[in-house]
């Protein structure tokens, strides 16, 4: 409806972004055209480079443009011997921001979900099995999401580790820091009680 | 913090979009990488084409990739003789969607605002003056926004038209259809009363 095929194409293309509908897409297109053409060209170039050159790290499956990601190519992190298993590259970023974990990651890029055709091979557990046998792994920390699928995935991986006699831990679930007990759901409170520690 | 310079660049580039902060930008980047690389490449191409090839219509100043936009190159709309003056290309789209207006537009690409360096030349009123003298203009409809600057701009343009003895009208301001009187601000209600019509 803008009487310019190029603008129409741009608005339709913006709608592929998550959370962007017709109105936001139009706003984005006109904002760049009116005020920030340079930014638009930079975004175009950055998108092209990322879509063409980003693939998966051979060791941990996270997104990277190299063979190995920044963490997997850092010897001090490999020597640490801990592997943290997460569902997505965003989880890696979140954990890295805490500056608490000094080991390497394994990114499943999803979770076990047979109904969606996601079996052990689809979440890269064959690659993970190789790492368990080849690398000197001290501990596997399961940091999948606390959902039904995430818990099932954590359970499956813990069984794999048990066969190799590798220590396996699950991140703690409980009351979030800054949260108020009154508003916490019962399931989380139950976890908080069963997971209580000496004080 | 993603340990991939290309992903970092992409996230920074997404932040130039209106209403997109660090977290949304990250979500957009990973969503395209994980699920829709083809859509990402299309967006990259559409952005490049639009940023490089879109300029302004010679007659009405709206965005177009041709010399004249779709409306200004339609003889039946020029013959209509009405010109609707709006502030932005998005306003053209909004009015076109009503299917009520059969004339042509003039897009100011802003409004008079001396404090921001926006004088008559910056909003293209020299081009508009030419249209008033050259074209057979029957009526100028002022559809600038009902803000202080929009009203001032409408007033300025109405003075220009008066000198050429061209009929000038302002779109009606009043209670929006579907609105409840109770929640309408006093300024709008005043407009609704002074602008009342025979029933």
């Amino acid at each position: 409806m803008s009487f310019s095929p190029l603008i129409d194409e741009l608005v339709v293309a913006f709608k592929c972004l998550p959370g962007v509908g017709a109105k936001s897409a139009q706003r984005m297109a006109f904002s760049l055209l009116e005020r920030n053409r340079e930014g638009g060209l930079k975004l175009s170039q950055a998108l092209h480079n990322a879509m063409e050159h980003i693939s998966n790290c051979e060791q941990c499956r996270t997104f990277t443009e190299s063979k190995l990601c920044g963490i997997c190519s850092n010897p001090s992190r490999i020597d640490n011997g801990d592997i943290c298993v997460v569902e997505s590259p965003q989880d890696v970023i979140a954990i890295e921001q805490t500056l608490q974990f000094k080991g390497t990651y394994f990114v499943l890029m999803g979770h076990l979900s047979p109904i969606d055709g996601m079996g052990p091979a689809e979440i890269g557990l064959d690659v993970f099995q190789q790492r368990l046998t080849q690398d000197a792994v001290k501990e596997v920390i399961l940091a999948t999401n606390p959902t039904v699928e995430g818990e099932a995935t954590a359970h499956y991986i813990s069984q794999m580790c048990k066969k190799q006699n590798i220590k396996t831990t699950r991140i703690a679930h409980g009351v979030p820091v800054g949260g108020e007990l009154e508003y916490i759901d019962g399931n989380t409170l139950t976890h908080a009680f069963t997971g209580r520690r000496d004080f």
Side-chain angles (χ1 to χ4, degrees), chain A:
Chain A
M1 272 300 286
S2 73
F3 306 97
S4 154
L6 288 187
I7 297 181
D8 290 345
E9 261 169 46
L10 181 58
V11 171
V12 170
F14 266 128
K15 282 199 268 187
C16 77
L17 295 174
V20 176
K23 207 76 192 172
S24 306
Q26 190 186 302
R27 187 169 154 235
M28 287 173 171
F30 281 108
S31 157
L32 290 181
L33 283 169
E34 278 170 19
R35 283 181 289 272
N36 196 357
R37 298 218 178 193
E38 207 181 315
L41 284 174
K42 265 189 201 160
L43 176 56
S44 162
Q45 194 59 48
L47 264 170
H48 181 86
N49 289 345
M51 297 301 129
E52 291 285 0
H53 301 303
I54 298 273
S55 61
N56 298 89
C57 170
E58 287 183 359
Q59 196 136 19
C60 76
R61 307 212 329 148
T62 196
F63 287 131
T64 180
E65 61 265 41
S66 329
K67 274 181 75 168
L68 290 180
C69 71
I71 298 173
C72 290
S73 52
N74 180 343
S76 80
R77 299 200 64 150
I78 295 168
D79 292 345
N80 179 282
D82 291 349
I83 300 181
C84 179
V85 180
V86 294
E87 290 188 20
S88 74
Q90 292 100 300
D91 298 338
V92 175
I93 297 177
I95 296 174
E96 281 300 299
Q97 278 168 350
T98 68
L99 304 173
Q100 290 300 309
F101 182 65
K102 306 283 180 221
T104 55
Y105 292 89
F106 189 80
V107 183
L108 301 170
M109 291 285 178
H111 45 230
L112 283 180
S113 177
I115 213 165
D116 303 313
M118 296 289 280
E122 281 72 27
I123 59 172
L125 292 188
D126 43 347
V127 181
F128 186 65
Q129 180 69 50
Q130 277 176 24
R131 279 187 72 180
L132 287 186
T133 42
Q134 287 168 4
D135 298 7
V137 180
K138 274 191 214 147
E139 180 177 340
V140 171
I141 301 165
L142 299 167
T144 53
N145 290 329
T147 56
V148 175
E149 292 91 351
E151 291 292 348
T153 310
H155 183 76
Y156 188 95
I157 296 172
S158 75
Q159 297 296 315
M160 284 173 65
C161 299
K162 235 178 217 169
K163 280 184 200 153
Q164 311 272 335
N165 281 323
I166 293 167
K167 184 182 172 190
T168 316
T169 54
R170 179 92 173 103
I171 52 165
H173 296 130
V175 181
V177 180
E180 289 184 54
L181 274 195
E182 192 181 343
Y183 300 107
I184 303 292
D185 66 297
N187 214 334
T188 304
L189 267 184
T190 309
H191 271 290
F193 268 82
T194 54
R196 70 190 180 277
R197 309 199 313 178
D198 288 332
F199 191 67

